[in-house]
Amino acid sequence: MANRLFSSRAFSSTFRLLTYSKVHSRNYASEMSFTFASPAEVFYNKESVKQVDVPSYSGSFGILPNHVPTLAVLKPGVVTVFENDGAAKKFFVSSGSVTINDDSSVQVLAQEAVPLDRIDTQACREGLTKAQQALSSASTEESKAEAQIGIEVHEELIKATS
């Protein structure tokens, strides 16, 4: 009786494991379809790329084909896109979201995004000074929060262009 009970449990556990792995298996892709856009501009539209590095509030991370499906919030920083020809293009994003799907497609939707080569470092320093002044003169919690966001974005802009 004990042998029958043990073998029945072992079979049941093995059957559940095999059933689970069959139902939840992933289709692995060798390429990654990438879409990257902001309200003002579309930078990539379902184009094949090698890798994408993104800054998120849970930490910066790289995305390759077959990455585990993920949803993350972008923080101000640099998105680096490694294209299939070996070129690496860098963009500054203010905020947004990253979606990595089961089929290895990736969408980066940014509130604001601009290629790094279009950023004026001096204008960023001036923006940081204005944001710091706005924070020191802020009288409401809302204006303090807006000024703090401005400081964070401009500090990241300066770091990205230095």
Side-chain angles (χ1 to χ4, degrees), residues 19-92:
T19 303
Y20 179 80
S21 62
K22 278 188 173 220
V23 171
H24 293 89
S25 66
R26 292 185 57 205
N27 294 325
Y28 291 106
S30 60
E31 292 187 0
M32 183 168 59
S33 173
F34 180 58
T35 299
F36 176 31
S38 71
E41 190 172 353
V42 175
F43 300 101
Y44 293 86
N45 186 10
K46 297 181 182 177
E47 294 181 39
S48 178
V49 298
K50 283 185 180 180
Q51 178 178 340
V52 180
D53 294 344
V54 296
S56 79
Y57 282 103
S58 58
S60 295
F61 63 98
I63 305 165
L64 295 166
N66 305 321
H67 194 287
V68 65
T70 305
L71 181 60
V73 177
L74 290 174
K75 74 174 190 173
V78 176
V79 170
T80 305
V81 180
F82 297 91
E83 297 179 339
N84 288 333
D85 64 1
K89 293 189 179 172
K90 295 185 177 198
F91 303 84
F92 184 83

Side-chain angles (χ1 to χ4, degrees), residues 3 38 43 45 50 99 129 133 137 142 159:
N3 283 341
S38 71
F43 300 101
N45 186 10
K50 283 185 180 180
T99 306
T129 301
Q133 291 170 350
S137 65
E142 183 180 344
K159 186 171 32 169

Side-chain angles (χ1 to χ4, degrees), residues 129-139 143-144 147-148 151:
T129 301
K130 288 179 183 177
Q132 289 168 333
Q133 291 170 350
L135 180 61
S136 64
S137 65
S139 58
S143 59
K144 286 179 185 178
Q148 189 60 46
I151 289 170

